[in-house]
Amino acid sequence: MSTAQNNSTRSRVPGTVAISDDEMRRFAPSVFASQPIEGVSEKYSLLPTSSILNGMRGNGWVPVRAQEQSIRTEARRGFQKHVVRFARLQHLQSWEKNQIRPEVVLVNSHDKSSAYQLVPFSSSFAKLEIAKHSFVLGELFTLGATSSGINPVTEKVTLQIGTFSVTIPPSSFKKIPIGIFVFQGVINGVDLNVQIVPLGNKIFAFSAESKGVNLTRLTNPVTVVLTIGVNTGSTTVTAQFP
């Protein structure tokens, strides 16, 4: 795969600048296919990646890398599998290589080889980074076999990290067209930015960023408890401190 990334002064650290549509067209033109490859059935439903790009940007996620699959058949050119990686806009100026931050990886194709997938990406599973007045958390969770599902839009969401706890009331989350649940606001003086991404098979990715709370007195391992409606689960993480 060939890869696009911005060639600005910060390009020495990949992923620190947003890439433009023109840059993506140079390295991953299949992102902008407006119709599927010839020969698909009438049941095939086209979801153009370009329309997802607009939705992600509108919700504060910007593309930082793009690449597409090499092809052996010329007919697939411009329709092949491609990957676009997104980061939060506010992280671009402060993030450095090997730091933790939430990312989302979009996988799609317009040649029937790959269904649309939206997959969160972080440095590793269940990581917590704590600074003096902020934290970044990323984890995956799977609902129990008897669960009927979650709907953060209508259910309260409670996050507990060690001794810190915050509850996001019902109707606070919104579901954007690409299926991600997002919340951005202030609760009890704590600035929160939370995303819940459904991955299928009752698996979800959860990421939370916060400012205005000091968790530096916590000690490892740190217990993290997440409750959405009647669904709850806990895990322990080894937090990274400054």
Side-chain angles (χ1 to χ4, degrees), residues 19-26 32 50 53-54 57 63:
I19 58 175
S20 67
D21 285 356
D22 288 342
E23 288 170 305
M24 275 191 283
R25 283 190 175 93
R26 288 173 52 203
F32 298 95
S50 56
L53 287 177
N54 294 333
R57 284 181 172 128

Side-chain angles (χ1 to χ4, degrees), residues 9-24:
T9 56
R10 282 179 61 82
S11 63
R12 293 187 299 271
V13 183
T16 57
V17 289
I19 58 175
S20 67
D21 285 356
D22 288 342
E23 288 170 305
M24 275 191 283

Side-chain angles (χ1 to χ4, degrees), residues 6-239:
N6 189 292
N7 291 320
S8 72
T9 56
R10 282 179 61 82
S11 63
R12 293 187 299 271
V13 183
T16 57
V17 289
I19 58 175
S20 67
D21 285 356
D22 288 342
E23 288 170 305
M24 275 191 283
R25 283 190 175 93
R26 288 173 52 203
F27 293 95
S30 55
V31 167
F32 298 95
S34 59
Q35 59 187 28
I37 194 171
E38 186 176 352
V40 298
S41 71
E42 295 180 356
K43 295 182 179 180
Y44 180 84
S45 178
L46 175 68
L47 180 58
T49 302
S50 56
S51 66
I52 302 171
L53 287 177
N54 294 333
M56 294 293 284
R57 284 181 172 128
N59 285 276
W61 292 88
V62 293
V64 292
R65 298 185 192 178
Q67 57 188 141
E68 66 179 19
Q69 190 178 53
S70 300
I71 59 170
R72 295 182 179 180
T73 305
E74 188 63 27
R76 291 182 56 219
R77 185 176 302 279
F79 304 100
Q80 67 261 48
K81 184 177 179 180
H82 46 269
V83 178
V84 182
R85 197 159 156 179
F86 298 85
R88 296 292 296 179
L89 181 61
Q90 64 264 36
H91 289 162
L92 296 188
Q93 295 302 314
S94 60
W95 182 80
E96 298 293 343
K97 189 176 181 180
N98 297 326
Q99 286 185 330
I100 302 169
R101 72 174 181 192
E103 291 190 358
V104 171
V105 176
L106 166 66
V107 182
N108 200 12
S109 80
H110 303 117
D111 65 353
K112 304 181 294 183
S113 65
S114 175
Y116 159 68
Q117 305 169 56
L118 198 57
V119 184
F121 180 85
S122 62
S123 299
S124 66
F125 174 77
K127 277 212 169 184
L128 174 64
E129 185 178 80
I130 294 174
K132 188 173 182 180
H133 294 292
S134 64
F135 69 81
V136 177
L137 170 70
E139 65 172 308
L140 299 177
F141 66 91
T142 304
L143 299 179
T146 59
S147 173
S148 59
I150 60 172
N151 185 0
V153 174
T154 60
E155 298 171 319
K156 71 177 181 179
V157 176
T158 299
L159 172 65
Q160 181 178 339
I161 303 175
T163 56
F164 167 77
S165 181
V166 63
T167 296
I168 303 172
S171 302
S172 300
F173 275 85
K174 65 178 180 177
K175 187 176 182 180
I176 63 178
I178 56 176
I180 299 178
F181 298 96
V182 298
F183 169 77
Q184 188 169 8
V186 179
I187 297 179
N188 297 329
V190 177
D191 191 346
L192 287 168
N193 194 321
V194 182
Q195 297 88 36
I196 301 173
V197 183
L199 305 180
N201 296 322
K202 294 188 174 183
I203 302 172
F204 294 80
F206 178 89
S207 66
E209 311 160 50
S210 178
K211 295 180 180 179
V213 59
N214 189 347
L215 303 183
T216 55
R217 293 187 178 182
L218 295 179
T219 58
N220 284 319
V222 178
T223 299
V224 177
V225 182
L226 177 63
T227 303
I228 305 174
V230 298
N231 295 273
T232 188
S234 65
T235 187
T236 56
V237 299
T238 300

